[in-house]
Amino acid sequence: MKKTMWGGRFKEAQHDYFKTINDSIEDDKFLAIWDIKTSLAHAKCLLEAEIIDQGAYQSIVAGLNEIAVQFATNSLQPQSCDEDIHMWIERLLTEKIGTAGKKLHTGRSRNDQVATTIKLWLKDAYDEHLKQLKLLIEALVKLSKEQIDTLMPGCTHLQIAQPISFAFYLTAYAYKLKRDYQKGCDLFAHLDTCPLGSGALAGSNYPLSRELSQSELGFAKICYHAMDAISDRDYIADYLYFGNLIVTHLSQMSEDFIIWQSPNYKYITLSDAFTSGSSLMPQKKNPDALELIRGKAAVMNSRLNGMFGIVKGLPMSYNKDLQEDKRLVYSAYQDLTSILAIMPHIIETTSYHADAMKAALKHSYSNATSLADTLVMKGVPFREAHHIAGQLVAKAIEEGKELYELDLAELKIYCPSIDEQIRQSTQYYKTIENKKTLGSTNKKDVLFMIADLAKWLKSIEKDHMIGAQDKKLKTV
Ligand code: ARG
């Protein structure tokens, strides 16, 4: 029986069935490089506190750097005694450098180690997602500029409500994603505190400088309270929430695109690159990429629920349940990364059919509100104006005409205030021009939105250092 590192008091080996659920190495090896970084900072603290000497420190650093290279080249395989990434790296180090390796775990616990390691990894993940979000918003803004004059039906209840421009639709998503970006920055700031030096739960017996590990690892602050630091997993839930916001928005947009690609709409044609055929029906072209985004959004949601489920009943402080966070967080990262990578390409490669969008407005009478509003401007009380517009819609339907095609003399019978200008103002494009409030679908407003978003995109260029970490390991 190969002894585990903590095996002093144990006489029997772990049961294989227990190992199957206890060993997390397959779920946490993505943390390798960050665990090494954490260990390098800890070794420096041990040196500074004179717990280890220069010689031991130098060999720990050299050994860890070598292991980092081996991880980078995928030349390592865990053994059955390596229950998690932390134990695996400690074993590798000890085999490489001997006694000095056995000193590395002095004054720390896997509890502060794992919290620090995953926070470092998450900072990098946020950085990556924020960059991806920026690219996605840029793609939406670019398309908005191109589609500024494209009319389409705006819907509520999936029923045609009022005419809008396609650019107005697209900028709505750009603003949602901008909010997601900003929330990502806020959540990043909450995450940016260093737990290292908290020990198992109550602090460390050695005079380790928490400020030193914090600055070595590039955290903004220390996570002050030791027991809070090691039991906290808010940052995992935050990350999952961040991921959920993004994929929920993208799932909604996917749903629109799926509908628009369907034969009843034909507003868009998705490129072959993001669709699949049927194994049976040769004519099929299915919007699988978008459906998968919608499906993955559901799974993403279950991960956030899962995380709350894990923490809600935990007695203070560390409990092994917390190990389950790795699967949730890493699979969320994988899905989020691929969804954010694919979406700008879908947006760029789709063909948008302005004619079909405009044609959908035909006989939709989505100009009726605008007619009522114009009558109000002529002094008709809104409730009466609403009723008159309703009667005119019924008449237009009966005659198979648009509101602006109804005979003026007849229109006057319903309301003497109606003149040619009012009749013409029911043209669909005019109803867009009629919008006067800030943030409306009026072209002037949408152009402002596009400029506002472009300005914001420019302003965050510098923020792109947010969370950017030195990915190379520090060597001495
Ligand atoms: N693999 C463990 C986890 O992710 C590391 C912490 C182990 N701590 C402990 N007290 N057993 O949670």
Side-chain angles (χ1 to χ4, degrees), residues 24 28 84 86 110-111 114 233 318 320 322-323 325-326:
S24 59
D28 59 22
D84 62 21
H86 321 293
R110 274 185 294 165
N111 297 352
V114 70
R233 290 295 181 276
Y318 178 86
K320 200 61 174 272
L322 291 174
Q323 178 166 280
D325 63 0
K326 312 297 176 308

Side-chain angles (χ1 to χ4, degrees), residues 394-448:
K395 184 172 171 56
I397 292 173
E398 216 174 273
E399 295 182 18
K401 287 182 178 167
E402 291 288 358
L403 289 173
Y404 49 81
E405 289 167 350
L406 291 173
D407 186 74
L408 186 59
E410 281 190 62
L411 284 171
K412 280 186 178 297
I413 300 171
Y414 288 83
C415 178
S417 321
I418 299 182
D419 56 18
E420 181 55 17
Q421 201 196 346
I422 294 183
R423 194 172 79 114
Q424 284 308 319
S425 76
T426 60
Q427 297 269 10
Y428 291 107
Y429 75 91
K430 285 260 189 195
T431 68
I432 289 185
E433 283 174 17
N434 287 344
K435 291 280 181 275
K436 294 193 180 55
T437 47
L438 205 65
S440 78
T441 186
N442 186 311
K443 183 172 175 179
K444 181 172 60 63
D445 284 289
V446 179
L447 284 172
F448 181 81

